[in-house]
Amino acid sequence: LAKTTQPISMDSYEGQEVNITCSHNNIATNDYITWYQQFPSQGPRFIIQGYKTKVTNEVASLFIPADRKSSTLSLPRVSLSDTAVYYCLVGPMNYGGSQGNLIFGKGTKLSVKP
Amino acid sequence: DTAVSQTPKYLVTQMGNDKSIKCEQNLGHDTMYWYKQDSKKFLKIMFSYNNKELIINETVPNRFSPKSPDKAHLNLHINSLELGDSAVYFCASSQYREDYGYTFGSGTRLTVV
């Protein structure tokens, strides 16, 4: 599975837009990009997934350039409750079995201040 | 109506003991997993399991064994616990070929003393 590189930490203030970039230079043709959020003492929670261009849901947007070697998670108008660790993962869509075991990196610790 | 539930939430035990962690999912997913999160917050896959296939991460000691009585349950048995087994263990599930990712449980914090 493709290795990912993210900033270790980021700071922001309430109401700001936060963009977290992930590098995945050796992404494969059948790989998708998925982001998870983890609060202390909880399991990771799925945020968004995409393959190319832009994906948006009620929580975030995901921007993927044409070469797919990086991606950016965009969180609009963050609040204190968005303080968490954000993981970028790259892997095939076929979850389950040997094809779908997600590998988590260190993630980005986002701290939102008042 | 918790989607993926694990018990117990906390487990403190002595070295050498045998313990189990239970996991249940009510999502109808066909694949379940166990992950280990160490003190440095790395999440590492230990096992993935569906009705047809058990995939074991080769770095997992054979003291760890998954037990699945049915599709909705995947328990984790650990024999002869060691200090290095102290970590948070997460159960997760997913549906093959669907794109909404994994659903994780809230974790079991295991402390071996």
Side-chain angles (χ1 to χ4, degrees), chain A residues 34 36 38 41-46 49 87 93-106, chain B residues 9 31 33 35 37 41-43 45 48 53 55 90 94-102 104-106:
Chain A
T34 311
Y36 282 80
Q38 186 178 25
S41 302
Q42 293 187 26
R45 182 177 73 101
F46 174 86
Q49 182 180 76
Y87 294 96
M93 170 66 82
N94 297 333
Y95 295 107
S98 58
Q99 293 183 352
N101 295 333
L102 298 180
I103 295 178
F104 288 75
K106 294 183 178 181
Chain B
K9 188 171 179 63
T31 305
Y33 311 82
Y35 275 82
Q37 188 167 43
K41 304 300 182 184
F42 279 109
L43 263 168
I45 182 75
S48 67
E53 190 176 25
I55 302 296
F90 289 99
S94 71
Q95 184 68 4
Y96 190 68
R97 293 188 182 278
E98 294 199 11
D99 61 357
Y100 46 73
Y102 287 15
F104 282 81
S106 58

Side-chain angles (χ1 to χ4, degrees), chain B residues 39-95:
Chain B
S39 58
K40 296 181 179 179
K41 304 300 182 184
F42 279 109
L43 263 168
K44 298 179 181 178
I45 182 75
M46 299 178 71
F47 305 100
S48 67
Y49 183 78
N50 60 29
N51 288 335
K52 300 179 182 178
E53 190 176 25
L54 169 65
I55 302 296
I56 302 173
N57 185 317
E58 61 186 10
T59 66
V60 175
N62 57 15
R63 298 181 294 104
F64 291 78
S65 58
K67 307 279 186 195
S68 181
D70 55 57
K71 181 179 170 181
H73 296 83
L74 183 65
N75 303 324
L76 181 64
H77 295 265
I78 315 170
N79 295 324
S80 302
L81 278 157
E82 301 177 357
L83 293 177
D85 298 332
S86 295
V88 181
Y89 293 84
F90 289 99
C91 177
S93 70
S94 71
Q95 184 68 4

Side-chain angles (χ1 to χ4, degrees), chain A residues 37-45 80-86, chain B residues 90:
Chain A
Q37 174 192 55
Q38 186 178 25
F39 297 113
S41 302
Q42 293 187 26
R45 182 177 73 101
L80 295 177
S81 63
D82 292 316
T83 295
V85 177
Y86 293 81
Chain B
F90 289 99

